[in-house]
């Protein structure tokens, strides 16, 4: 979540409207989380590769590990993460998480 929020903040630096909306819902077997920002968006041809390690397309380049780590962690617990983005308009990351089983 920290990595998603930091990316959204970076993506909104040059925007006049800066908003991050976080919503969630759940059913018996899954928790759904959505992070939406009003940032620069991600061009369609880059959306597939942003989850790969060492891919950074920022002006002031990052290391490119934030999303790769987020995906690895989510998948380690049986969940999934996906992106939907409109260039210049904003980006949403959607997470499906399995509730942890408490001993
Ligand atoms: N919310 C977002 N809005 C626009 N672009 C994004 C957003 N989130 C990720 N990206 C794009 O995906 C790329 C990969 O993100 P990732 O977090 O893996 O790396 P990074 O932020 O560049 O570096 P690091 O997180 O390691 O400091 C970013 O460089 C950026 O181009
Ligand atoms: Mg990052």
């Amino acid at each position: 979540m920290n990595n998603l929020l930091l990316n959204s903040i970076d993506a909104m630096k040059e925007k006049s409207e800066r908003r991050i909306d976080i919503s969630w819902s759940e059913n018996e077997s899954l928790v759904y989380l959505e992070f939406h920002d009003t940032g620069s968006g991600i061009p369609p041809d880059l959306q597939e590769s942003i989850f790969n390690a060492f891919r950074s397309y920022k002006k002031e380049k990052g290391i490119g590990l934030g999303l790769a780590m987020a995906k690895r962690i989510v998948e380690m617990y049986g969940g999934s993460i996906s992106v939907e983005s409109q260039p210049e308009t904003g980006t949403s990351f959607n997470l499906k998480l399995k509730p942890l089983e408490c001993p």
Side-chain angles (χ1 to χ4, degrees):
M1 287 185 196
N2 189 43
N3 287 334
L4 296 179
L5 294 174
L6 290 175
N7 283 342
S8 291
I9 290 166
D10 280 343
M12 294 190 294
K13 276 187 179 152
E14 291 171 11
K15 290 280 181 168
S16 51
E17 193 201 351
R18 298 173 177 175
R19 212 179 63 235
I20 300 173
D21 291 312
I22 303 172
S23 53
W24 66 279
S25 61
E26 62 187 315
N27 63 26
E28 278 155 30
S29 55
L30 288 173
V31 175
Y32 300 90
L33 271 170
E34 180 181 13
F35 290 74
H36 177 77
D37 67 51
T38 56
S40 55
I42 305 170
D45 55 322
L46 301 185
Q47 287 175 20
E48 216 170 285
S49 64
I50 56 170
F51 294 102
N52 296 343
F54 306 115
R55 298 294 170 98
S56 181
Y57 302 108
K58 291 177 180 174
K59 272 193 206 153
E60 295 153 17
K61 291 244 174 201
I63 299 172
L65 276 183
L67 287 179
M69 278 170 31
K71 183 172 158 70
R72 188 72 68 89
I73 293 167
V74 165
E75 289 178 352
M76 201 161 72
Y77 289 99
S80 63
I81 179 169
S82 60
V83 65
E84 281 172 38
S85 186
Q86 293 274 334
E88 301 308 322
T89 305
T91 300
S92 295
F93 283 90
N94 293 287
L95 283 74
K96 273 188 222 169
L97 300 169
K98 285 187 182 169
L100 290 180
E101 281 169 30
C102 297

